[in-house]
Amino acid sequence: MARNRIVTKDQFLTEEEVQRLYMALRDARDLALQRKSFFVHIRDYYIMRVLLESGLRVFELAALRVSDYRDGSLIVRQGKGGKKRNVLLAKDTQKMIADL
């Protein structure tokens, strides 16, 4: 039996929390680049950016392939309920991916 779940505003990150998370991720990425090590920090930065800006579920992100990125959007082939959809990325994220 399906239950309706009420989601309240306090269950989401605030804009300030998102910005602090971005800063922490950016700092870890920059430090990894300086040291020419810790690839995981660089990878995590890109993963978190895409998750936060796209609204993708973790399992949707894990199922993505490089070929799923086209013209500034991601093709989610195995979304919730097995549905396929396109997710438009923010301009900053598009630029970030293009610079890889």
Side-chain angles (χ1 to χ4, degrees), residues 13-54:
L13 294 174
T14 65
E15 184 63 32
E16 180 183 331
E17 290 170 328
V18 170
Q19 291 307 316
R20 286 193 343 237
L21 180 56
Y22 278 144
M23 286 174 38
L25 290 166
R26 198 170 28 247
D27 290 348
R29 179 204 60 192
D30 292 347
L31 183 61
L33 289 170
Q34 277 180 350
R35 293 182 178 174
K36 296 183 173 130
S37 63
F38 300 106
F39 171 76
V40 70
H41 294 300
I42 298 165
R43 182 205 62 199
D44 290 353
Y45 173 78
Y46 290 108
I47 288 172
M48 291 302 296
R49 280 275 306 249
V50 170
L51 284 173
L52 288 168
E53 293 186 16
S54 69

Side-chain angles (χ1 to χ4, degrees), residues 64-79:
L64 287 175
R65 299 178 186 157
V66 173
S67 60
D68 292 334
Y69 178 72
R70 294 188 199 130
D71 301 322
S73 67
L74 295 170
I75 299 169
V76 178
R77 293 173 280 107
Q78 299 173 357

